Amino acid sequence: MLASRLYSPTLREIPAEAVVISHKYMLKAGMIRKIVGGIYVYLPLAWRTLQKIEAIIREEINKTGAQEIQMPIIQPAEIWQQTGRWAVYGDEMFRLQDRHGRQYCLAPTHEEMITTLVHMDTSSYKQLPVSLYQIQNKYRDELRPRFGLMRGREFIMKDGYTFDKDWEGLDRQYKLMYDAYTRIFTRCGLHFRPVLADSGAIGGSTTHEFEALADSGEADVAYCPHCDFAANTEAVVPNTLPCAVRSDKEKELVATPGQHTIEMVCDYLHAPVSQSVKAVVYKLDDKVVLAMVRGDHEVNEVRLQNIYGASIIAMASDEDLARCGLTAGYISPIGLHRTDDFDIVVDASVMEMQDACCGGNQKDMHYIHVNPARDFGDVRVETIRMINADDVCPKCGAPIEIKKGIEVGQVFKLGTKYSEALGCTYLDQNGKSQPMVMGCYGIGVSRTMAAAIEQSHDDDGIIWPVAIAPYEAVIVPANNKDETVMAAARSLYDAFEEKSDEVVLDDRNERAGIKFKDADLIGYPVRVTIGKKWQESGNVEIRIRRTGETIEVPLDACKEKVMEILADLHARNQ
Ligand code: ATP
Ligand code: MG
């Protein structure tokens, strides 16, 4: 490829909305162009990287015995209504109507469609297992599309689905996919961890997320440096914490005028935040739920949703509070009663506390000297707090570490949730009808490209792992005006016959400094410079982007050396 022909319109001014590095560099290097929020054009450099990621995915997923298909993106509402997800997906789903008024969506995922498909054509145990996948655009009207390709509204996903006779079969498929995902992300050069996750709205049992560790990630990953424990913090049930304070003082109502946040109250009462109990009020489907955690803890909303089996979780509205007789800023369970549409759930660590402060259930009043186990009355007790950096590993007790992760993939044991809802059954050996046991497996292809940049860059630009670099090498003639330099650069470029599709010749009429800057920004793993040195000594300079290491070799040995360096980078997944 000649750099003068490359369609990569570079941006000098990066829009302020680009806050993460992958977004900035992809815009700057002319890899992507925004059309509207969360919807982008992939320009040639990005498209080449995406195709390389897809090729790795295809190779590894085909090895598991799965076959590639392509399903419709436009899907009828009916199949989504049958599983109940037409309602659950809410505003995140792009919906449309045809000319007859029939409703459709742009698929955010394909469980409904694949289950409908397999149901049509598979009826006997002899046809199982079935393992199918596709790579295509998905559509989610995300509340906050942001971070460029990391959270788009149109994005590329690889999604795979397996159908088995029984759970043992599913366990085998799951293991195959888990191992394939591990190989895929390793080959893409990512630093990642598979972590236990919550199965959330999609339903099912066991699930792992593949998290690329990076500060810009939106997930929190808790992992133990001493044992093999690793989980999304949403999926962790932390230990119940003891309370060092012992007290048999009776609870007392005190005035706290205007002190309506936990920090204000604790300040006012000279109490440590960890000796306070805070109230958060949710609406879980139709139920209002008062959740109580220690002042220095946060509620694990995913766990709360699971405990109540709710499809939708939201903060309670002012009307909800008024209806339940709750005074915002001053709420506690004391004197309240659970009903069919109002529940009180208290974190287990709160029940260990003594001499705590909490809301007084009237404006400008708080209770002090509260012993929740004694004073809270009839409440539901569950572990509903998030684990945090002060906690220990729930498995082995060693101090836990928490890091940010970018979810690049996820594998689920779905079980029979979708096959039952959509009647996807088979006849077993005894002629008895059974629901198929399903698994589903997703990879964010476009997000994986962004994650690779988040993990691997410097102040000058992208440092691609060689396997997914748009091009593997660039040849930079330092001075275009010098015909001998240009001729040498062309002859080297021509020498890369079999690798020619991986090499760029920067033939642009630009200063050497600009070419070097662009080479670093685009992140070619290897750069060859033909300039003054070559004229003086016959040597060209090879520079490795990742290490900054430079090597001088005679022009006629250059190709072989470059091939050796690239092979070495490939072998080390760097
Ligand atoms: P998230 O929690 O980040 O919203 P998700 O768990 O809803 O993602 P899945 O349904 O598991 O996503 O989709 C499979 C994969 O698709 C994810 O692991 C992620 O890599 C990718 N993905 C999901 N949503 C987006 C998005 N808005 N933009 C880009 N990639 C996405
Ligand atoms: Mg997911």
Side-chain angles (χ1 to χ4, degrees):
M1 170 57 65
L2 299 177
S4 60
R5 306 303 312 150
L6 190 60
Y7 196 86
S8 63
T10 45
L11 277 191
R12 294 292 161 225
E13 287 293 314
I14 301 303
E17 68 183 36
V19 289
V20 298
I21 208 79
S22 60
H23 194 190
K24 284 185 192 165
Y25 282 164
M26 278 193 274
L27 285 172
K28 205 168 166 191
M31 294 182 67
I32 57 170
R33 264 284 186 272
K34 177 174 143 181
I35 298 303
V36 287
I39 299 185
Y40 293 85
V41 176
Y42 307 113
L43 293 165
L45 288 172
W47 193 243
R48 283 181 64 93
T49 289
L50 290 168
Q51 285 184 317
K52 288 185 179 186
I53 296 172
E54 290 183 11
I56 292 171
I57 293 174
R58 287 198 170 92
E59 219 179 288
E60 295 297 343
I61 298 298
N62 289 345
K63 274 190 215 160
T64 69
Q67 297 167 64
E68 186 170 356
I69 59 171
Q70 199 65 205
M71 288 182 272
I73 288 170
I74 296 192
Q75 302 187 354
E78 291 78 21
I79 57 175
W80 289 85
Q81 282 155 350
Q82 279 182 58
T83 61
R85 287 210 293 181
W86 186 255
V88 171
Y89 250 99
D91 290 339
E92 206 172 299
M93 187 180 252
F94 280 104
R95 295 162 208 258
L96 60 158
Q97 276 191 3
D98 69 11
R99 63 177 74 204
H100 307 295
R102 260 186 86 173
Q103 291 198 293
Y104 298 83
C105 67
L106 297 181
T109 174
H110 273 73
E111 283 81 15
E112 280 74 2
M113 175 59 69
I114 191 96
T115 312
T116 304
L117 174 87
V118 172
H119 169 50
M120 285 178 202
D121 301 310
T122 313
S123 54
S124 159
Y125 71 95
K126 290 182 200 144
Q127 294 165 286
L128 297 176
V130 168
S131 178
L132 301 169
Y133 77 99
Q134 62 174 356
I135 301 178
Q136 70 168 198
N137 281 350
K138 293 281 184 279
Y139 295 84
R140 295 183 186 178
D141 197 359
E142 297 272 0
L143 184 60
R144 275 186 295 275
R146 56 184 175 165
F147 302 159
L149 300 190
M150 297 239 274
R151 186 165 295 284
R153 296 198 294 165
E154 176 184 84
F155 59 96
I156 305 173
M157 196 202 283
K158 169 265 161 186
D159 48 325
Y161 307 87
T162 59
F163 296 79
D164 274 88
K165 291 197 293 268
D166 48 30
W167 281 87
E168 289 72 44
L170 171 59
D171 289 347
R172 273 194 299 278
Q173 304 275 8
Y174 191 83
K175 170 96 176 49
L176 279 174
M177 295 301 172
Y178 183 103
D179 292 346
Y181 275 38
T182 302
R183 291 194 302 272
I184 289 165
F185 294 121
T186 303
R187 287 181 60 185
C188 287
L190 291 190
H191 176 45
F192 68 96
R193 269 176 190 267
V195 306
L196 267 174
D198 182 85
S199 54
I202 196 165
S205 54
T206 307
T207 170
H208 287 86
E209 288 165 354
F210 286 75
E211 297 280 353
L213 301 178
D215 291 340
S216 55
E218 293 183 276
D220 290 302
V221 174
Y223 67 92
C224 178
H226 292 273
C227 72
D228 59 357
F229 182 84
N232 187 313
T233 52
E234 290 171 352
V236 182
V237 181
N239 292 350
T240 300
L241 297 178
C243 173
V245 178
R246 297 286 113 194
S247 155
D248 51 15
K249 286 185 202 152
E250 282 305 313
K251 72 172 190 299
E252 187 186 332
L253 200 55
V254 294
T256 49
Q259 315 296 316
H260 56 86
T261 69
I262 262 305
E263 290 72 24
M264 287 167 135
V265 174
C266 291
D267 229 29
Y268 189 81
L269 296 173
H270 306 294
V273 176
S274 58
Q275 277 302 114
S276 69
V277 187
K278 79 177 164 199
V280 194
V281 190
Y282 293 94
K283 189 85 182 279
L284 287 152
D285 291 342
D286 293 328
K287 204 183 209 91
V288 175
V289 174
L290 166 57
M292 304 297 300
V293 290
R294 238 169 62 173
D296 57 335
H297 289 160
E298 299 302 326
V299 177
N300 182 341
E301 296 180 354
V302 170
R303 184 154 165 78
L304 193 65
Q305 194 175 354
N306 290 346
I307 287 172
Y308 283 90
S311 310
I312 295 166
I313 181 167
M315 300 309 289
S317 64
D318 290 345
E319 295 86 76
D320 292 326
L321 296 191
R323 191 160 38 80
C324 299
L326 305 173
T327 313
Y330 303 91
I331 304 170
S332 80
I334 298 172
L336 300 179
H337 299 285
R338 299 162 75 188
T339 64
D340 284 347
D341 41 21
F342 173 66
D343 203 24
I344 305 169
V345 58
V346 181
D347 182 61
S349 297
V350 169
M351 298 307 274
E352 298 295 312
M353 296 170 77
Q354 298 198 354
D355 201 12
C357 61
C358 64
N361 279 328
Q362 47 186 297
K363 196 160 167 25
D364 295 337
M365 300 296 270
H366 277 84
Y367 283 108
I368 56 172
H369 309 318
V370 173
N371 288 4
R374 179 191 66 194
D375 300 326
F376 275 6
D378 173 36
V379 293
R380 179 169 180 177
V381 179
E382 300 277 357
T383 299
I384 55 164
R385 72 177 181 96
M386 292 295 293
I387 192 164
N388 64 42
D390 300 329
D391 272 299
V392 296
C393 169
K395 192 165 162 190
C396 79
I400 200 86
E401 302 225 1
I402 297 186
K403 282 221 160 92
K404 290 281 179 198
I406 303 168
E407 184 197 318
V408 285
Q410 185 159 17
V411 290
F412 280 99
K413 287 187 190 173
L414 285 176
T416 57
K417 174 174 165 161
Y418 294 90
S419 48
E420 277 177 24
L422 292 157
C424 186
T425 56
Y426 70 97
L427 293 179
D428 68 13
Q429 286 92 325
N430 306 316
K432 195 162 165 259
S433 177
Q434 306 274 7
M436 294 184 204
V437 184
M438 291 173 57
C440 76
Y441 318 90
I443 294 179
V445 179
S446 39
R447 187 184 280 182
T448 296
M449 171 165 70
I453 300 174
E454 292 298 326
Q455 286 194 337
S456 184
H457 62 265
D458 61 14
D459 289 345
D460 299 320
I462 303 166
I463 304 176
W464 287 111
V466 69
I468 63 171
Y471 290 93
E472 294 185 3
V474 62
I475 300 167
V476 179
N479 181 0
N480 277 34
K481 300 216 173 73
D482 188 324
E483 247 322 303
T484 59
V485 168
M486 280 310 285
R490 276 206 197 88
S491 74
L492 178 62
Y493 178 60
D494 291 340
F496 278 97
E497 301 128 340
E498 72 274 27
K499 269 261 181 203
S500 63
D501 189 40
E502 287 298 339
V503 179
V504 171
L505 172 63
D506 195 344
D507 60 336
R508 294 173 307 160
N509 250 327
E510 297 283 3
R511 283 184 294 113
I514 298 222
K515 292 184 184 181
F516 293 155
K517 251 186 144 52
D518 285 348
D520 280 351
L521 174 62
I522 292 171
Y524 304 100
V526 171
R527 186 185 84 197
V528 178
T529 310
I530 304 181
K532 261 210 191 81
K533 245 180 228 144
W534 174 70
Q535 287 168 317
E536 290 161 11
S537 65
N539 278 354
V540 299
E541 183 197 84
I542 302 173
R543 181 167 173 274
I544 302 171
R545 175 74 177 92
R546 184 169 294 279
T547 58
E549 188 189 345
T550 57
I551 305 154
E552 283 184 29
V553 290
L555 180 62
D556 55 7
C558 179
K559 179 197 160 187
E560 204 174 319
K561 188 68 195 169
V562 168
M563 298 292 272
E564 189 187 304
I565 292 168
L566 290 174
D568 177 58
L569 290 173
H570 273 287
R572 288 188 291 126
N573 296 312
Q574 283 194 343

